Amino acid sequence: RTMIERDPAARAEMLSAWSSSRTLLLDMRDADAFHARRLAGAVNLPRTTMSGRLHELPPRSRPLAVVLDPAPVACADEDAWYRAQLAWFTADFKGNPWTLRGCVVGDDALFDDAAARSGFPVATGAVIPTARGRLWEPSDNVARWLPEVEARMAHRWGRGGRLLEGAARDGGASSEPSSSAASEPDNDDDDDDDATRPLCVDLGCGAGRDAVYAALRGWRVLALDSDAKGLARCAALAEAHGVGNRVAPVRVDLERTDPADVFATIGSTTSWASLVKRADERASAVDWASLVHGASNDGASNAPPPDVAPNVSKNPVRAVLAVRFLQRRLALALPSLLPAGAAVMWFHFMRGAELTAVGRPNKAKDLLEDGELGRAFGAERGWTVVSDGATKLPDGRPVSEFVAVRDGSCESF
């Protein structure tokens, strides 16, 4: 059971321990109270918004400290008020709890007394979305390989106005002095250069952590999935971090859609209407064609753009991400669909996952075979396979670590 520390001296000691250990901080008070003053480096997820936002929490193994929303004066049962907030961290649908390092009530005494005693910095004022801290993390594979591929392909993709300066730095985003978050690349540059930023396609994007991570690094991201709820979360996460104008979640059934149609549509101004389940079910106000082709969003209509003949020679895709997603026909078609200067990073469960204690996925159609992608990309001229190995999750399941770049001589697409 997690105890709420109330003793003034003990609370000061707790804050000192959080500071020295660089513990992640979550503040569950409402946004107004958070902006008025907060422990520097804390991330705000108000208690009233927690439902549907567990994907914004850190991995369960990362220690987390929580600032609770104070009970109102008229509250008849303070213990129940705080238990309800702590219940979010006891377990998820898999029965795995988060690792709580401690919790305190975010009352005046926390800031006036405990923070002052411990020397923990207190920040005030509204938080710029692009400097907003994050507790969540992208997938380990994406965090490792996206910066490496960016560095390898810098001669094609560029820096500065196209990818953020210092993009190779890792860590959470926060402009405040903090014990709990390292710096993300500065994202205060003008949006005028967004049309020159390279385009990343996130296949099976889910709730969008990898898509938003890429956008924070300076990419334009087309996030594709068939799940409307996941796409809505992706859009909300992008907005929360100030990159909503760089992420376009689009609902499309990649299982039933011909891969050539998907990438021909991306490479032209052809409407998605024939591909999405319904043209008005996109989860973002960002118009996909504006994001892909760099047109202004000012006054843009949500109506699909007029159909024109696809032009693959203008394919703008520079990176394709797939994490815990497999559509075999699409994966094997990518070598011939992507232009020179493109990269593919595919991280999915491999044969052998069915033999672990978890035992899932266990169908052949849902598992990559050893060397399967390497053979497909190796057979197409111009591709270099950078990595064709595997890593293991903590539960023992093998995950592909496949990375390929089309940086060699090949036909002009």
Side-chain angles (χ1 to χ4, degrees), residues 175-388:
S175 63
E176 299 172 352
S178 169
S179 61
S180 61
S183 295
E184 192 73 51
D186 183 8
N187 205 13
D188 290 337
D189 51 321
D190 292 335
D191 288 336
D192 293 342
D193 65 354
D194 276 358
T196 70
R197 298 178 185 278
L199 176 69
C200 173
V201 178
D202 187 354
L203 301 172
C205 66
R209 286 176 294 198
D210 293 322
V212 173
Y213 173 74
L216 286 168
R217 297 185 65 81
W219 291 82
R220 294 173 293 151
V221 184
L222 190 58
L224 306 182
D225 206 297
S226 61
D227 178 50
K229 184 178 293 186
L231 290 169
R233 290 173 178 170
C234 176
L237 189 63
E239 287 293 335
H241 287 279
V243 290
N245 61 330
R246 292 184 193 161
V247 179
V250 176
R251 191 179 185 196
V252 56
D253 191 340
L254 295 171
E255 296 287 339
R256 299 183 179 182
T257 306
D258 189 293
D261 289 342
V262 173
F263 282 88
T265 302
I266 296 172
S268 72
T269 55
T270 301
S271 166
W272 281 100
S274 62
L275 300 184
V276 298
K277 295 187 175 181
R278 274 179 41 201
D280 61 349
E281 284 188 325
R282 288 173 296 180
S284 172
V286 178
D287 181 70
W288 76 269
S290 295
L291 179 137
V292 170
H293 299 285
S296 172
N297 277 330
D298 295 338
S301 168
N302 283 332
D307 289 346
V308 298
N311 187 348
V312 183
S313 67
K314 295 183 180 180
N315 192 325
V317 177
R318 291 296 173 266
V320 172
L321 289 177
V323 180
R324 316 280 177 89
F325 169 81
L326 179 61
Q327 208 296 316
R328 187 168 264 103
R329 180 177 59 156
L330 174 55
L332 299 181
L334 285 177
S336 63
L337 293 176
L338 295 175
V344 172
M345 290 157 274
W346 204 294
F347 314 116
H348 183 68
F349 296 110
M350 298 184 67
R351 177 75 69 177
E354 76 282 9
L355 303 178
T356 64
V358 177
R360 299 185 306 274
N362 54 19
K363 296 180 180 178
K365 70 179 183 64
D366 298 323
L367 295 166
L368 277 173
E369 301 289 345
D370 185 35
E372 180 179 3
L373 294 181
R375 290 188 292 273
F377 281 79
E380 188 77 20
R381 191 155 67 93
W383 284 97
T384 298
V385 175
V386 179
S387 174
D388 191 16

Side-chain angles (χ1 to χ4, degrees), residues 8 32 38 48 84 114 127 135 140 142 211 217 223 227 229 245 271 294 308 360 371 404 407:
D32 289 342
R38 58 194 172 276
T48 55
V127 178
L135 303 173
D140 290 344
V142 171
R217 297 185 65 81
D227 178 50
K229 184 178 293 186
N245 61 330
S271 166
V308 298
R360 299 185 306 274
D407 57 355

